[in-house]
Amino acid sequence: MTGGEELRGGAYRGRLAPSPTGYLHLGHARTFWIAYERARAVGGVLVLRNEDLDRARCRPEFVAGMIEDLRWLGISWQEGPDCGGPAGPYSQSQRLDRYRAAFERLREQKLIYPCGCSRRDVLSAARAPHAAEDEPVYPGTCRGGLSSAIAGEKANWRFRVPDGQTISFVDRRCGLQNLVAGRDFGDFVVWRQDGIPAYQLAVVVDDAAMRITEVVRGEDLLRSTARQLLLFRALGWPAPEYFHCPLLCDATGARLAKRHEALSLRALRRAGQAPECLRTG
Ligand code: GLU
């Protein structure tokens, strides 16, 4: 691990990990407010991490926008791209060497394999698979090996999950979770052929290097937590605790997303809403 030597173990360290692919909305406000309150309640440190790996969708104005919106909401953090800190850099696009090192370790241990399938889950691997976007269980087409011509730099790489094994963890809000590898999720992408690490790998490398002790995020990522626990185990790093928040839905029951323009924090601010009314959704 790198950059963590100055960080003391033991004390609470939480994180806010928005992706700058749009303006923050009411759903983010609630999750991030919970994360802020949980860190503040125990006098812990909150880290702001800019998850800007998805180059095709991230834009600089959304980075500035998320910092402005979070501040307006009344949230403060002690480490981040705007204020620095001992575990920086705090933008994922500047941490590629760390992800590459973890990828190489997984490859040396033969825990990942090259995959020649061109599927939607490969293309979208740089972002977190929220709810309905989560990938179908990979049928294992390339598990048996690819021809060496394809297996070079051109391949995507998948983590081989232990089929049939139950991944258990106690979520601090949702309680005991049991997810079965190969049934609830399959072999997942850790590295894309275009040199972009997948969300699942990047988030594990960062949560470990930044010594995050509790991850607060939406409950639509419970299956991703199971995937990430496998990566923590494979890399020999202690995993954080998890607190998955309830999701905020629109009138039709759909999870709020960045396309819900009218519910973006800046639209609500312009409409005269006060931040204290938005913090709890
Ligand atoms: N950047 C991810 C997102 O915005 C973070 C998910 C997580 O908390 O791990 O969906």
PDB file of all heavy atoms in Angstrom, residues 15 17-19 28 49 51 128 130 199 203 207 215-217 221 228 255 258, ligand 1:
ATOM      1  N   ARG A  15     -15.643   8.023   3.857  1.00  0.00           N
ATOM      2  CA  ARG A  15     -15.360   8.660   2.563  1.00  0.00           C
ATOM      3  C   ARG A  15     -16.659   9.006   1.839  1.00  0.00           C
ATOM      4  O   ARG A  15     -17.696   8.361   2.006  1.00  0.00           O
ATOM      5  CB  ARG A  15     -14.439   7.800   1.696  1.00  0.00           C
ATOM      6  CG  ARG A  15     -14.690   6.295   1.631  1.00  0.00           C
ATOM      7  CD  ARG A  15     -15.790   5.945   0.759  1.00  0.00           C
ATOM      8  NE  ARG A  15     -15.653   4.655   0.076  1.00  0.00           N
ATOM      9  CZ  ARG A  15     -16.526   4.220  -0.823  1.00  0.00           C
ATOM     10  NH1 ARG A  15     -17.604   4.915  -1.105  1.00  0.00           N
ATOM     11  NH2 ARG A  15     -16.365   3.048  -1.420  1.00  0.00           N
ATOM     12  N   ALA A  17     -17.592   9.377  -2.137  1.00  0.00           N
ATOM     13  CA  ALA A  17     -16.918   8.968  -3.378  1.00  0.00           C
ATOM     14  C   ALA A  17     -17.791   9.235  -4.605  1.00  0.00           C
ATOM     15  O   ALA A  17     -18.158   8.312  -5.323  1.00  0.00           O
ATOM     16  CB  ALA A  17     -16.531   7.496  -3.288  1.00  0.00           C
ATOM     17  N   PRO A  18     -18.113  10.488  -4.860  1.00  0.00           N
ATOM     18  CA  PRO A  18     -18.954  10.766  -6.033  1.00  0.00           C
ATOM     19  C   PRO A  18     -18.193  10.639  -7.349  1.00  0.00           C
ATOM     20  O   PRO A  18     -16.975  10.820  -7.393  1.00  0.00           O
ATOM     21  CB  PRO A  18     -19.388  12.226  -5.817  1.00  0.00           C
ATOM     22  CG  PRO A  18     -18.343  12.818  -4.938  1.00  0.00           C
ATOM     23  CD  PRO A  18     -17.771  11.701  -4.109  1.00  0.00           C
ATOM     24  N   SER A  19     -18.926  10.307  -8.392  1.00  0.00           N
ATOM     25  CA  SER A  19     -18.368  10.286  -9.749  1.00  0.00           C
ATOM     26  C   SER A  19     -18.843  11.541 -10.465  1.00  0.00           C
ATOM     27  O   SER A  19     -20.042  11.788 -10.512  1.00  0.00           O
ATOM     28  CB  SER A  19     -18.866   9.057 -10.509  1.00  0.00           C
ATOM     29  OG  SER A  19     -18.431   7.897  -9.872  1.00  0.00           O
ATOM     30  N   HIS A  28     -27.953  11.578  -3.605  1.00  0.00           N
ATOM     31  CA  HIS A  28     -26.589  11.773  -3.083  1.00  0.00           C
ATOM     32  C   HIS A  28     -26.627  12.554  -1.784  1.00  0.00           C
ATOM     33  O   HIS A  28     -25.875  12.271  -0.857  1.00  0.00           O
ATOM     34  CB  HIS A  28     -25.725  12.571  -4.065  1.00  0.00           C
ATOM     35  CG  HIS A  28     -25.472  11.881  -5.369  1.00  0.00           C
ATOM     36  ND1 HIS A  28     -25.992  12.323  -6.545  1.00  0.00           N
ATOM     37  CD2 HIS A  28     -24.742  10.779  -5.662  1.00  0.00           C
ATOM     38  CE1 HIS A  28     -25.590  11.541  -7.529  1.00  0.00           C
ATOM     39  NE2 HIS A  28     -24.831  10.587  -7.019  1.00  0.00           N
ATOM     40  N   ARG A  49     -13.325  11.692  -2.254  1.00  0.00           N
ATOM     41  CA  ARG A  49     -12.575  11.059  -3.343  1.00  0.00           C
ATOM     42  C   ARG A  49     -13.313  11.280  -4.664  1.00  0.00           C
ATOM     43  O   ARG A  49     -14.503  10.968  -4.755  1.00  0.00           O
ATOM     44  CB  ARG A  49     -12.420   9.567  -3.056  1.00  0.00           C
ATOM     45  CG  ARG A  49     -11.467   8.877  -3.996  1.00  0.00           C
ATOM     46  CD  ARG A  49     -11.072   7.525  -3.474  1.00  0.00           C
ATOM     47  NE  ARG A  49     -12.131   6.546  -3.561  1.00  0.00           N
ATOM     48  CZ  ARG A  49     -12.408   5.652  -2.604  1.00  0.00           C
ATOM     49  NH1 ARG A  49     -11.732   5.620  -1.479  1.00  0.00           N
ATOM     50  NH2 ARG A  49     -13.377   4.787  -2.780  1.00  0.00           N
ATOM     51  N   GLU A  51     -14.123  10.168  -8.067  1.00  0.00           N
ATOM     52  CA  GLU A  51     -14.059   8.897  -8.811  1.00  0.00           C
ATOM     53  C   GLU A  51     -14.260   9.165 -10.306  1.00  0.00           C
ATOM     54  O   GLU A  51     -15.335   8.935 -10.867  1.00  0.00           O
ATOM     55  CB  GLU A  51     -15.069   7.907  -8.224  1.00  0.00           C
ATOM     56  CG  GLU A  51     -14.796   7.665  -6.741  1.00  0.00           C
ATOM     57  CD  GLU A  51     -15.016   6.249  -6.271  1.00  0.00           C
ATOM     58  OE1 GLU A  51     -15.965   5.602  -6.727  1.00  0.00           O
ATOM     59  OE2 GLU A  51     -14.223   5.789  -5.419  1.00  0.00           O
ATOM     60  N   ALA A 128     -19.710   2.278 -11.076  1.00  0.00           N
ATOM     61  CA  ALA A 128     -20.354   1.380 -10.121  1.00  0.00           C
ATOM     62  C   ALA A 128     -21.681   0.872 -10.699  1.00  0.00           C
ATOM     63  O   ALA A 128     -22.451   1.649 -11.247  1.00  0.00           O
ATOM     64  CB  ALA A 128     -20.606   2.118  -8.809  1.00  0.00           C
ATOM     65  N   HIS A 130     -25.005   0.340 -10.290  1.00  0.00           N
ATOM     66  CA  HIS A 130     -26.122   0.586  -9.391  1.00  0.00           C
ATOM     67  C   HIS A 130     -27.359  -0.208  -9.805  1.00  0.00           C
ATOM     68  O   HIS A 130     -27.736  -0.238 -10.973  1.00  0.00           O
ATOM     69  CB  HIS A 130     -26.462   2.074  -9.373  1.00  0.00           C
ATOM     70  CG  HIS A 130     -25.418   2.874  -8.665  1.00  0.00           C
ATOM     71  ND1 HIS A 130     -25.384   2.982  -7.289  1.00  0.00           N
ATOM     72  CD2 HIS A 130     -24.365   3.574  -9.122  1.00  0.00           C
ATOM     73  CE1 HIS A 130     -24.346   3.738  -6.953  1.00  0.00           C
ATOM     74  NE2 HIS A 130     -23.710   4.105  -8.039  1.00  0.00           N
ATOM     75  N   TYR A 199     -14.191  -0.124 -11.749  1.00  0.00           N
ATOM     76  CA  TYR A 199     -14.640   0.453 -10.477  1.00  0.00           C
ATOM     77  C   TYR A 199     -14.316  -0.491  -9.311  1.00  0.00           C
ATOM     78  O   TYR A 199     -13.801  -0.050  -8.280  1.00  0.00           O
ATOM     79  CB  TYR A 199     -16.157   0.728 -10.562  1.00  0.00           C
ATOM     80  CG  TYR A 199     -16.845   0.720  -9.227  1.00  0.00           C
ATOM     81  CD1 TYR A 199     -16.712   1.791  -8.344  1.00  0.00           C
ATOM     82  CD2 TYR A 199     -17.606  -0.375  -8.823  1.00  0.00           C
ATOM     83  CE1 TYR A 199     -17.312   1.766  -7.097  1.00  0.00           C
ATOM     84  CE2 TYR A 199     -18.213  -0.404  -7.576  1.00  0.00           C
ATOM     85  CZ  TYR A 199     -18.063   0.664  -6.721  1.00  0.00           C
ATOM     86  OH  TYR A 199     -18.646   0.631  -5.492  1.00  0.00           O
ATOM     87  N   VAL A 203     -11.874   0.943  -6.322  1.00  0.00           N
ATOM     88  CA  VAL A 203     -12.456   1.323  -5.042  1.00  0.00           C
ATOM     89  C   VAL A 203     -11.813   0.538  -3.881  1.00  0.00           C
ATOM     90  O   VAL A 203     -11.603   1.062  -2.791  1.00  0.00           O
ATOM     91  CB  VAL A 203     -14.009   1.162  -5.152  1.00  0.00           C
ATOM     92  CG1 VAL A 203     -14.472  -0.218  -4.776  1.00  0.00           C
ATOM     93  CG2 VAL A 203     -14.732   2.219  -4.400  1.00  0.00           C
ATOM     94  N   ASP A 207      -9.910   2.340  -0.944  1.00  0.00           N
ATOM     95  CA  ASP A 207     -10.409   2.203   0.426  1.00  0.00           C
ATOM     96  C   ASP A 207      -9.317   1.622   1.331  1.00  0.00           C
ATOM     97  O   ASP A 207      -9.204   1.996   2.502  1.00  0.00           O
ATOM     98  CB  ASP A 207     -11.690   1.354   0.464  1.00  0.00           C
ATOM     99  CG  ASP A 207     -12.909   2.116  -0.073  1.00  0.00           C
ATOM    100  OD1 ASP A 207     -12.883   3.369  -0.063  1.00  0.00           O
ATOM    101  OD2 ASP A 207     -13.882   1.482  -0.506  1.00  0.00           O
ATOM    102  N   VAL A 215     -17.426   2.239   5.029  1.00  0.00           N
ATOM    103  CA  VAL A 215     -17.933   2.703   3.733  1.00  0.00           C
ATOM    104  C   VAL A 215     -19.435   2.911   3.873  1.00  0.00           C
ATOM    105  O   VAL A 215     -20.158   1.987   4.248  1.00  0.00           O
ATOM    106  CB  VAL A 215     -17.647   1.657   2.630  1.00  0.00           C
ATOM    107  CG1 VAL A 215     -18.400   1.996   1.340  1.00  0.00           C
ATOM    108  CG2 VAL A 215     -16.149   1.562   2.365  1.00  0.00           C
ATOM    109  N   VAL A 216     -19.894   4.136   3.618  1.00  0.00           N
ATOM    110  CA  VAL A 216     -21.328   4.439   3.628  1.00  0.00           C
ATOM    111  C   VAL A 216     -21.742   4.665   2.181  1.00  0.00           C
ATOM    112  O   VAL A 216     -21.164   5.520   1.497  1.00  0.00           O
ATOM    113  CB  VAL A 216     -21.615   5.710   4.468  1.00  0.00           C
ATOM    114  CG1 VAL A 216     -23.096   6.078   4.400  1.00  0.00           C
ATOM    115  CG2 VAL A 216     -21.177   5.494   5.918  1.00  0.00           C
ATOM    116  N   ARG A 217     -22.704   3.906   1.700  1.00  0.00           N
ATOM    117  CA  ARG A 217     -23.175   4.084   0.314  1.00  0.00           C
ATOM    118  C   ARG A 217     -24.550   3.456   0.163  1.00  0.00           C
ATOM    119  O   ARG A 217     -25.085   2.881   1.108  1.00  0.00           O
ATOM    120  CB  ARG A 217     -22.166   3.488  -0.664  1.00  0.00           C
ATOM    121  CG  ARG A 217     -21.933   2.019  -0.507  1.00  0.00           C
ATOM    122  CD  ARG A 217     -20.811   1.583  -1.447  1.00  0.00           C
ATOM    123  NE  ARG A 217     -20.477   0.197  -1.274  1.00  0.00           N
ATOM    124  CZ  ARG A 217     -19.305  -0.324  -1.637  1.00  0.00           C
ATOM    125  NH1 ARG A 217     -18.376   0.416  -2.171  1.00  0.00           N
ATOM    126  NH2 ARG A 217     -19.068  -1.598  -1.471  1.00  0.00           N
ATOM    127  N   LEU A 221     -25.600  -1.246  -3.843  1.00  0.00           N
ATOM    128  CA  LEU A 221     -24.234  -1.718  -4.069  1.00  0.00           C
ATOM    129  C   LEU A 221     -23.862  -2.912  -3.171  1.00  0.00           C
ATOM    130  O   LEU A 221     -22.696  -3.291  -3.083  1.00  0.00           O
ATOM    131  CB  LEU A 221     -23.240  -0.566  -3.884  1.00  0.00           C
ATOM    132  CG  LEU A 221     -23.304   0.468  -5.030  1.00  0.00           C
ATOM    133  CD1 LEU A 221     -22.491   1.706  -4.704  1.00  0.00           C
ATOM    134  CD2 LEU A 221     -22.832  -0.132  -6.350  1.00  0.00           C
ATOM    135  N   GLN A 228     -16.127  -6.879  -3.758  1.00  0.00           N
ATOM    136  CA  GLN A 228     -14.966  -6.156  -3.230  1.00  0.00           C
ATOM    137  C   GLN A 228     -14.328  -6.903  -2.061  1.00  0.00           C
ATOM    138  O   GLN A 228     -13.105  -6.881  -1.892  1.00  0.00           O
ATOM    139  CB  GLN A 228     -15.380  -4.737  -2.841  1.00  0.00           C
ATOM    140  CG  GLN A 228     -15.689  -3.898  -4.090  1.00  0.00           C
ATOM    141  CD  GLN A 228     -16.449  -2.616  -3.809  1.00  0.00           C
ATOM    142  OE1 GLN A 228     -16.353  -2.072  -2.717  1.00  0.00           O
ATOM    143  NE2 GLN A 228     -17.209  -2.143  -4.788  1.00  0.00           N
ATOM    144  N   ARG A 255     -34.938   4.355  -8.784  1.00  0.00           N
ATOM    145  CA  ARG A 255     -33.863   5.014  -8.044  1.00  0.00           C
ATOM    146  C   ARG A 255     -33.549   6.354  -8.700  1.00  0.00           C
ATOM    147  O   ARG A 255     -33.532   6.462  -9.921  1.00  0.00           O
ATOM    148  CB  ARG A 255     -32.634   4.101  -8.093  1.00  0.00           C
ATOM    149  CG  ARG A 255     -31.338   4.755  -7.715  1.00  0.00           C
ATOM    150  CD  ARG A 255     -30.177   3.800  -7.967  1.00  0.00           C
ATOM    151  NE  ARG A 255     -28.925   4.497  -7.766  1.00  0.00           N
ATOM    152  CZ  ARG A 255     -28.219   5.056  -8.743  1.00  0.00           C
ATOM    153  NH1 ARG A 255     -28.631   4.987  -9.979  1.00  0.00           N
ATOM    154  NH2 ARG A 255     -27.096   5.682  -8.474  1.00  0.00           N
ATOM    155  N   LYS A 258     -28.746  10.650 -12.096  1.00  0.00           N
ATOM    156  CA  LYS A 258     -28.328  11.994 -12.499  1.00  0.00           C
ATOM    157  C   LYS A 258     -29.219  12.551 -13.597  1.00  0.00           C
ATOM    158  O   LYS A 258     -29.221  13.725 -13.865  1.00  0.00           O
ATOM    159  CB  LYS A 258     -26.873  11.964 -12.917  1.00  0.00           C
ATOM    160  CG  LYS A 258     -25.997  11.916 -11.674  1.00  0.00           C
ATOM    161  CD  LYS A 258     -24.558  11.605 -11.937  1.00  0.00           C
ATOM    162  CE  LYS A 258     -23.817  11.488 -10.611  1.00  0.00           C
ATOM    163  NZ  LYS A 258     -22.682  10.589 -10.682  1.00  0.00           N
TER     164      LYS A 258
HETATM  165  N1  GLU B   1     -18.248   6.512  -7.460  1.00  0.00           N
HETATM  166  C1  GLU B   1     -19.194   5.499  -7.122  1.00  0.00           C
HETATM  167  C2  GLU B   1     -20.567   6.030  -7.416  1.00  0.00           C
HETATM  168  O1  GLU B   1     -20.752   7.233  -7.458  1.00  0.00           O
HETATM  169  C3  GLU B   1     -19.010   5.148  -5.662  1.00  0.00           C
HETATM  170  C4  GLU B   1     -19.675   3.942  -5.211  1.00  0.00           C
HETATM  171  C5  GLU B   1     -19.136   3.554  -3.841  1.00  0.00           C
HETATM  172  O2  GLU B   1     -19.507   4.209  -2.856  1.00  0.00           O
HETATM  173  O3  GLU B   1     -18.341   2.635  -3.759  1.00  0.00           O
HETATM  174  O4  GLU B   1     -21.470   5.290  -7.642  1.00  0.00           O
END
